[in-house]
Amino acid sequence: MRKKFLIIFLVLIVNSGFAIGADNQGGVFVTFADSGDCVLSFSEGWNLFSFCSELNGNEELVTLLSPLEGRYRYVMVWDKVTQVFEIYSPRGNDAQPFDVFDDDKSYFIYMEEPAVLEIDGSESGLESRDLVEGWNSPSYPYRSALFIEDLIGSFRNDFRYLMKWSAVRQEFDIYSLGRSDAQPFIFIDKGEGQFIYLRNPNTLVYAL
């Protein structure tokens, strides 16, 4: 029975885009495999995403989202200084609060139908994000997954919450070191956005 469970576990890992190997002591280790190009899949409703390619001067919102024209209703970005959302609407008559993307940030987009967006550009190298006391919404800029324990390593003492958005249930899942039950997730993957709450200002240093 134990062997059967192990086989099922390994199949699930392989199908999830992980890589499996063995160390020189005979143990098994799991690493995350690179999942290829930066392709963002959006569901109907709200989606929280990050750019997994560097925008390299192609930050204009209208241009970048042109393949989605007529299919999205809002784009929201979190202002970590004022601790409020700024909302862009392609149907708005007033001046927009923003009209360019910053690939250091995560964004919400409201889709009126499912769609796929491919982002051209190179993958990010070593990066960091300055975080404030309170809520932050830094991007996750890579094309392979990272364990949350590794993500919060540079600011663990000030860490309180990390939230990811479920596009299926249209609600947040919350990771917290203080919870007594199982965490709702243990890694962040390509294209996913995030919200991080800190007790004090600190720096997120991605340790890939």
Side-chain angles (χ1 to χ4, degrees):
M1 182 64 71
R2 183 177 179 182
K3 180 181 293 186
K4 180 178 179 181
F5 284 150
L6 178 59
I7 292 173
I8 293 173
F9 174 69
L10 295 180
V11 169
L12 288 173
I13 289 176
V14 171
N15 289 339
S16 299
F18 301 132
I20 304 172
D23 60 25
N24 55 13
Q25 281 77 42
V28 175
F29 62 87
V30 178
T31 60
F32 294 104
D34 190 330
S35 50
D37 297 334
C38 182
V39 179
L40 305 176
S41 297
F42 298 131
S43 302
E44 181 179 352
W46 288 107
N47 300 261
L48 180 62
F49 71 96
S50 295
F51 292 107
C52 38
S53 288
E54 293 186 345
L55 299 183
N56 297 328
N58 301 316
E59 296 93 351
E60 187 177 351
L61 186 151
V62 172
T63 302
L64 205 58
L65 297 185
S66 58
L68 307 180
E69 185 176 0
R71 291 187 283 175
Y72 70 97
R73 185 69 184 87
Y74 303 106
V75 180
M76 297 199 307
V77 65
W78 180 252
D79 187 324
K80 65 183 181 182
V81 176
T82 61
Q83 296 283 289
V84 297
F85 281 107
E86 294 180 345
I87 305 174
Y88 172 95
S89 172
R91 304 173 190 172
N93 296 321
D94 300 330
Q96 302 287 356
F98 65 97
D99 57 10
V100 295
F101 283 116
D102 181 347
D103 53 16
D104 285 353
K105 300 178 179 180
S106 296
Y107 289 86
F108 265 117
I109 187 169
Y110 185 89
M111 300 297 302
E112 296 181 328
E113 60 183 76
V116 173
L117 180 65
E118 185 171 357
I119 308 297
D120 294 327
S122 58
E123 187 175 12
S124 299
L126 296 177
E127 294 202 6
S128 62
R129 305 283 186 268
D130 291 329
L131 307 180
V132 301
E133 177 185 353
W135 287 108
N136 302 262
S137 190
S139 64
Y140 179 68
Y142 301 107
R143 298 177 189 172
S144 55
L146 179 67
F147 284 110
I148 302 300
E149 280 289 331
D150 295 327
L151 187 151
I152 67 175
S154 60
F155 54 87
R156 185 183 181 90
N157 290 339
D158 292 314
F159 172 75
R160 190 67 185 90
Y161 304 109
L162 190 151
M163 301 196 305
K164 296 199 306 182
W165 179 256
S166 170
V168 174
R169 292 180 281 105
Q170 293 289 288
E171 63 184 26
F172 280 109
D173 290 322
I174 305 174
Y175 182 106
S176 171
L177 295 178
R179 56 185 302 150
S180 57
D181 55 344
Q183 302 288 357
F185 55 89
I186 60 171
F187 62 85
I188 187 167
D189 207 351
K190 177 182 72 172
E192 292 185 324
Q194 60 183 332
F195 277 83
I196 297 173
Y197 188 91
L198 294 190
R199 299 183 180 93
N200 299 290
N202 212 314
T203 302
L204 163 57
V205 179
Y206 283 112
L208 293 180

